[in-house]
Amino acid sequence: WGMYFLVKKEKIKMSIVHFNGFWNTVLILLLLFPSLIFGIYMILRYRFTSLWDVNFDFMYWHVELSLVMAFIAINHFIQRFNQYLLQLKSFKRK
């Protein structure tokens, strides 16, 4: 949140569009790579038993990085909640 306020107050030479783009990219990458790919891999291990021989704790990293993604997503939603409400109000008027 500190970086968000610094960008809003123009203390950091970054536009709010670039700031949002950065965090949207982080969310997409955390959704696709650790959560989705590790989850699919763990499902495929039951079909292809040779995948159990890989010495990597997929469950640990699947859960940890999903928690990071969830934390960022909650902050992302809280920052944009007013914008969401404004969109709903304009939708009801039409």
Side-chain angles (χ1 to χ4, degrees), residues 27-45:
L27 281 171
I28 296 258
L29 292 176
L30 284 173
L31 172 68
L32 292 179
F33 293 106
S35 301
L36 182 68
I37 302 298
F38 289 175
I40 289 173
Y41 177 84
M42 288 185 292
I43 290 170
L44 288 176
R45 285 197 307 191

Side-chain angles (χ1 to χ4, degrees), residues 2 7 13 23 42 46 49-50 55-56 68-69 73 77:
V7 169
K13 302 290 183 202
W23 286 110
M42 288 185 292
Y46 291 102
T49 55
S50 62
N55 189 18
F56 185 76
V68 170
M69 186 192 79
F77 177 74

Side-chain angles (χ1 to χ4, degrees), residues 4-66:
Y4 175 74
F5 289 117
L6 290 174
V7 169
K8 289 285 273 191
K9 300 279 186 189
E10 299 178 1
K11 301 286 184 187
I12 294 179
K13 302 290 183 202
M14 176 189 273
S15 72
I16 197 73
V17 172
H18 290 114
F19 178 80
N20 288 336
F22 170 76
W23 286 110
N24 287 339
T25 303
V26 169
L27 281 171
I28 296 258
L29 292 176
L30 284 173
L31 172 68
L32 292 179
F33 293 106
S35 301
L36 182 68
I37 302 298
F38 289 175
I40 289 173
Y41 177 84
M42 288 185 292
I43 290 170
L44 288 176
R45 285 197 307 191
Y46 291 102
R47 177 90 168 133
F48 305 103
T49 55
S50 62
L51 295 176
W52 284 97
D53 296 334
V54 175
N55 189 18
F56 185 76
D57 193 0
F58 285 95
M59 179 62 84
Y60 174 80
W61 288 107
H62 172 75
V63 171
E64 291 297 316
L65 294 173
S66 295

Side-chain angles (χ1 to χ4, degrees), residues 73-88:
I74 289 168
N75 283 316
H76 188 80
F77 177 74
I78 290 170
Q79 288 176 353
R80 287 153 182 83
F81 189 67
N82 285 336
Q83 180 181 359
Y84 174 70
L85 291 177
L86 289 173
Q87 289 172 350
L88 286 179

Side-chain angles (χ1 to χ4, degrees), residues 86 88-94:
L86 289 173
L88 286 179
K89 287 179 185 177
S90 67
F91 180 72
K92 288 180 183 178
R93 289 182 196 161
K94 292 180 181 179

